[in-house]
Amino acid sequence: VATSSAGTVFKEGNFYYEIISEEDKTCEVSESPYFEEWSNPDFYPEDIVIPETVNGYRVIGIGLSAFGSCYFKIKTVNLPNSIVYIESCAFRNCPELVKINLNDNITRIGSDAFIWCRSLSEIHIPQDITIIENYCFYNCEKLSQITFPKNLTKIEDYAFGRCSGITDLQLPNSVTGIGHGAFEGCGNMKTVSGLYNIASIGSHAFRYTALETCILGKNLKSVDGGMFGDCKNLKSVYILNPKPPESNFDPHDILEPVGVPAKSPAGEGLGPNYEINNLAGIDNATLYVPEGSIDAYKEANYWKYFKEIKEFDPAGINAINSDKTTSPVIYDINGYKQSFPTRGIKIINGRKTMVR
């Protein structure tokens, strides 16, 4: 260390550190300043253990791009409880990373922090995280088990895009906003729950997924275009809001090439540049709306493009919501599992319930 002041970078053991505060004696793990080091696949060991203190400084964070390199063969990371933040791109493109412990003292994980960590299969998001930032886990294609914090409020743009390992998404009811493309390309995702308190959904949020049924809550106020684009398995969408959420959807948008131009009836007459990611999906699905609101939905932008719109009694969904569970398990009286409670006697989360 040449001088003892904030911003000074020093090396100890396998890692570089930058002093954050001389007064508080804190530092963060930082990126190597030398190309021959951060481009060397063997510069870091496969199993990384970050110390809690080093040279009298408390290690409180993982700095910008600290381990962000496609060259490294890092497989496991053990973080101390002293870590309170992880900066953007901290573990970007670590293709062999399979395990990292994120302690509950961490209050922020930056954008792109784990982008392209293709071997990461399980993640526990710390309990004080309220926002999952842009591209945070983008293209973590093996990610299948996610523990969300109970106070999570927003999932930003493309946060879990192309996470094809996700099959059943269970969000906490605290989430109120889902960004553009947040789960785009999660091609094996068949179910999603916990959308009851969502107020806004960004464009292409669930594009290219295997969703069959989706339940949207009464607080939904706005949706951007094509949130169910190319969801070929989509059969039904239930919404509890009697007032159609606003939308900027434009079926004539000319989008970037993503596949074969739409061949569905909804795509007819829109020209060769119309792609299969806007109307395709909803043009073969039924939209179920609260009783008395069908006329409003038939005239509302985006919603009117569903293949069919029907009214339903939302009492069954409200019963589930009041049960305060993020993933209701529903069976009919004969023991057959259902994705949505139809009228009659049902077994919801182990309790007999009359759905009217």
Side-chain angles (χ1 to χ4, degrees):
V1 180
T3 58
S4 186
S5 61
T8 299
V9 175
F10 65 91
K11 185 179 182 182
E12 182 64 32
N14 291 315
F15 314 117
Y16 285 88
Y17 302 88
E18 180 176 344
I19 297 174
I20 301 302
S21 171
E22 186 63 47
E23 180 180 0
D24 297 330
K25 291 294 181 180
T26 56
C27 69
E28 68 177 22
V29 182
S30 66
E31 180 183 24
S32 168
Y34 304 109
F35 173 79
E36 61 270 21
E37 290 183 343
W38 62 256
S39 63
N40 177 8
D42 300 315
F43 180 67
Y44 289 120
E46 290 185 357
D47 302 305
I48 286 180
V49 179
I50 304 297
E52 187 165 319
T53 60
V54 58
N55 290 359
Y57 295 90
R58 185 172 175 82
V59 184
I60 63 170
I62 307 298
L64 178 69
S65 299
F67 299 101
S69 172
C70 60
Y71 300 105
F72 300 146
K73 298 178 180 179
I74 299 170
K75 293 186 177 179
T76 68
V77 177
N78 190 348
L79 300 179
N81 289 331
S82 59
I83 298 293
V84 296
Y85 65 85
I86 297 175
E87 282 291 0
S88 298
C89 304
F91 296 94
R92 177 188 59 189
N93 205 0
C94 289
E96 297 184 33
L97 179 64
V98 296
K99 185 178 181 180
I100 182 171
N101 65 310
L102 301 179
N103 69 77
D104 280 331
N105 293 324
I106 296 173
T107 59
R108 178 179 175 263
I109 301 175
S111 60
D112 298 72
F114 295 94
I115 186 173
W116 300 318
C117 289
R118 294 178 175 87
S119 299
L120 193 64
S121 61
E122 182 177 353
I123 201 76
H124 164 81
I125 300 174
Q127 62 182 0
D128 289 332
I129 297 291
T130 58
I131 297 175
I132 299 177
E133 297 190 18
N134 299 331
Y135 290 93
C136 192
F137 297 97
Y138 184 81
N139 207 20
C140 293
E141 57 188 33
K142 291 186 178 180
L143 187 61
S144 59
Q145 299 183 49
I146 308 168
T147 303
F148 290 100
K150 63 181 180 180
N151 294 319
L152 184 68
T153 59
K154 187 176 183 181
I155 299 174
E156 291 190 336
D157 299 353
Y158 300 97
F160 292 95
R162 297 193 179 184
C163 290
S164 54
I166 299 175
T167 56
D168 301 301
L169 180 66
Q170 300 177 23
L171 298 175
N173 283 335
S174 57
V175 176
T176 59
I178 295 178
H180 304 289
F183 297 95
E184 180 186 52
C186 296
N188 294 310
M189 191 169 76
K190 295 181 179 180
T191 64
V192 57
S193 59
L195 301 180
Y196 302 115
N197 294 315
I198 295 291
S200 63
I201 300 177
S203 61
H204 310 149
F206 299 104
R207 182 168 65 164
Y208 306 133
T209 66
L211 284 179
E212 298 177 359
T213 301
C214 186
I215 303 173
L216 304 172
K218 63 181 179 180
N219 296 325
L220 187 62
K221 300 295 189 297
S222 65
V223 298
D224 284 345
M227 66 174 173
F228 294 117
D230 203 25
C231 291
K232 298 178 181 178
N233 297 330
L234 192 66
K235 297 295 186 297
S236 53
V237 174
Y238 296 84
I239 185 166
L240 276 68
N241 192 345
K243 181 179 179 181
E246 295 181 356
S247 178
N248 62 358
F249 179 71
D250 183 357
H252 298 274
D253 275 347
I254 297 177
L255 305 172
E256 295 180 3
V258 293
V260 181
K263 297 179 181 179
S264 60
E268 292 178 357
L270 295 181
N273 291 321
Y274 177 80
E275 299 292 336
I276 198 168
N277 55 4
N278 248 356
L279 288 175
I282 67 171
D283 59 355
N284 284 313
T286 299
L287 176 66
Y288 293 88
V289 301
E291 293 174 343
S293 62
I294 190 169
D295 290 338
Y297 274 91
K298 284 184 175 180
E299 296 179 0
N301 189 28
Y302 182 68
W303 309 104
K304 65 183 180 181
Y305 292 105
F306 275 78
K307 179 181 180 180
E308 191 173 13
I309 302 177
K310 296 181 178 180
E311 292 185 341
F312 80 110
D313 181 356
I317 295 180
N318 286 326
I320 296 174
N321 194 26
S322 64
D323 197 33
K324 297 182 179 180
T325 175
T326 60
S327 182
V329 180
I330 309 163
Y331 292 89
D332 66 16
I333 199 65
N334 295 315
Y336 292 100
K337 193 171 184 179
Q338 294 185 324
S339 58
F340 174 78
T342 54
R343 294 175 185 267
I345 298 176
K346 308 299 170 187
I347 309 299
I348 301 176
N349 294 329
R351 298 190 313 183
K352 185 179 291 186
T353 303
M354 172 60 75
V355 179
R356 302 184 185 279

